[in-house]
Amino acid sequence: MKFKPSLIALSVLSFSASAHAEDKVLNLYSARHYQTDEALYADFTRDTGIKINRIEGKEDELLERIRNEGANSPADVLLTVDAARLAKAHELGLFVPVRSKVLEARIPAHLRTEDWFSFSTRARVIVYNKDSVTPDSVRNYEDLARPALKGKVCSRSGSHPYNLSLGAAIIAHQGEAKAEEWARGLVANFARSPKGGDTDQIKAVAAGECQVALTNTYYVARLMRSTKPDEVKLMEKVGVVWPNQATTGTHINVSGGGVLKHAPHREAGIKFLEYLASDKAQRYFADGNNEWPAVEQVKVVNPALDALGKFKADALPVRNLAMYQVKAQMIYDRTGYR
Ligand SMILES: [Fe+2]
């Protein structure tokens, strides 16, 4: 998800040229940027006649921008990743509630709220070094906190939304005391201080710098689909486990979006969300980042996801992930999961 200043400059120009609410335009603020996006947006414009002005930026920058623009914001729709960030947009009062029969029929109830909707899912899995760890020793998130893995675990920052959302899921299932015990055990097992992104953890596991780590599935899938010799080699060293298959299921997170409170083109915004839930858009949207469609009956053909196989996903409502974010952060602060 790269920041594209040139695109922003272009989009600002087109905003000023389309000041009337009745214009057939949609101003989209998006933290997503994938190859399939061009087709995704072009199809919407062809189907509806609504032109899309796009501003792409980093997740937190876009939130801040919408907040600063306030009632004058030209933004109609925000698309971003992670339940924690979507929840933050909700808490800041940036979204407007949307009632849509299409969205209610298409997006499963646990993947939507009254004002934001998930359009794809990703899972948080355990990766392990095949030379030094057996998959049976890392079947569950709980295993990462057991003394047997002392000095073997690496992690990205506990403050990152992906780890906060996982912490929130553990609180929702097991309560705060158990979640804190888990975080304390995990921190005690670190091979190094948290640093880098998910891909860096996979690389550290392959290199033997640590033996076990957590990562979102699309980072694994991206490496699995890579033809670069060093990445092909790297993935030969790494095994993947779907955690908690015998209990709550593997933690999933989402990417999604909502219509903004001050949207100048609210109807177009709702139409766009409904379009994102269509079969065709779901395939572009999910496959663009090696994710799964939120709409259950839609299937993507993706060799890496097919190779990873089927799994039992945690059915916890995404709004519960949002509910426990702050508590997860407090637990991570207390246990030194920085
Ligand atoms: Fe990511």
Side-chain angles (χ1 to χ4, degrees):
M1 280 161 248
K2 287 214 179 89
F3 194 59
K4 290 230 166 157
S6 57
L7 241 172
I8 287 187
L10 267 177
S11 303
V12 169
L13 279 177
S14 49
F15 283 156
S16 53
S18 56
H20 301 289
E22 64 269 25
D23 285 352
K24 298 262 279 180
V25 297
L26 172 81
N27 297 328
L28 172 67
Y29 283 24
S30 176
R32 293 175 48 93
H33 181 74
Y34 304 113
Q35 276 183 351
T36 54
D37 286 356
E38 304 308 321
L40 177 75
Y41 301 137
D43 279 4
F44 175 72
T45 300
R46 204 181 47 225
D47 293 353
T48 61
I50 300 170
K51 182 173 163 281
I52 296 179
N53 296 317
R54 223 186 320 164
I55 283 196
E56 289 172 356
K58 284 194 190 305
E59 296 83 355
D60 298 334
E61 289 168 3
L62 287 178
L63 270 193
E64 204 48 39
R65 180 171 178 154
I66 295 166
R67 199 178 169 185
N68 291 337
E69 288 170 343
N72 297 321
S73 177
D76 295 306
V77 167
L78 170 69
L79 289 181
T80 190
V81 298
D82 190 82
R85 293 201 181 94
L86 288 154
K88 191 173 171 198
H90 164 83
E91 266 153 39
L92 292 171
L94 303 185
F95 289 135
V96 68
V98 166
R99 289 304 307 268
S100 156
K101 285 199 165 70
V102 173
L103 292 172
E104 280 162 33
R106 301 277 293 172
I107 309 290
H110 72 285
L111 294 180
R112 55 181 154 85
T113 70
E114 72 281 6
D115 61 8
W116 60 267
F117 303 83
S118 308
F119 295 106
S120 66
T121 63
R122 64 276 292 278
R124 199 134 182 85
V125 292
I126 295 171
V127 285
Y128 63 93
N129 184 301
K130 285 194 221 167
D131 294 335
S132 50
V133 171
T134 62
D136 277 338
S137 61
V138 287
R139 287 284 173 220
N140 303 293
Y141 297 116
E142 289 82 350
D143 293 327
L144 303 183
R146 295 197 205 291
L149 291 183
K150 195 160 186 65
K152 294 187 174 176
V153 180
C154 53
S155 176
R156 82 190 293 167
S157 167
S159 296
H160 193 275
Y162 303 158
N163 286 332
L164 286 174
S165 289
L166 174 62
I170 293 174
I171 295 171
H173 286 304
Q174 304 185 31
E176 282 179 66
K178 286 267 188 214
E180 182 154 349
E181 206 179 292
W182 174 79
R184 211 172 288 285
L186 178 71
V187 170
N189 286 343
F190 285 162
R192 62 181 193 186
S193 297
K195 63 173 179 181
D198 283 6
T199 300
D200 297 308
Q201 313 313 316
I202 305 172
K203 286 179 177 169
V205 166
E209 196 179 331
C210 52
Q211 279 70 47
V212 181
L214 288 163
T215 176
N216 283 354
T217 34
Y218 54 87
Y219 296 110
V220 179
R222 193 183 299 159
L223 288 169
M224 286 168 77
R225 296 182 77 169
S226 172
T227 51
K228 290 183 192 160
D230 55 327
E231 294 185 335
V232 172
K233 237 179 171 169
L234 185 149
M235 288 312 286
E236 284 167 5
K237 300 252 175 227
V238 174
V240 182
V241 163
W242 295 115
N244 295 58
Q245 291 303 281
T247 57
T248 48
T250 297
H251 168 65
I252 58 162
N253 207 322
V254 298
S255 66
V259 176
L260 295 154
K261 191 164 73 186
H262 299 296
H265 317 96
R266 186 177 289 189
E267 288 310 312
I270 296 170
K271 248 187 207 158
F272 182 66
L273 295 189
E274 290 176 342
Y275 163 75
L276 289 182
S278 68
D279 284 15
K280 189 173 59 177
Q282 277 283 286
R283 281 191 203 103
Y284 288 134
F285 195 88
D287 204 32
N289 188 33
N290 298 305
E291 294 178 81
W292 293 278
V295 178
E296 277 162 355
Q297 58 269 38
V298 177
K299 300 281 174 262
V300 289
V301 179
N302 180 309
L305 296 183
D306 290 348
L308 283 171
K310 286 199 189 318
F311 69 103
K312 175 182 158 189
D314 190 343
L316 194 72
V318 283
R319 68 184 74 82
N320 292 24
L321 294 178
M323 201 189 298
Y324 293 115
Q325 293 293 323
V326 174
K327 281 185 173 160
Q329 181 68 69
M330 284 163 65
I331 286 173
Y332 288 173
D333 285 346
R334 283 201 294 272
T335 54
Y337 188 8
R338 311 238 179 267

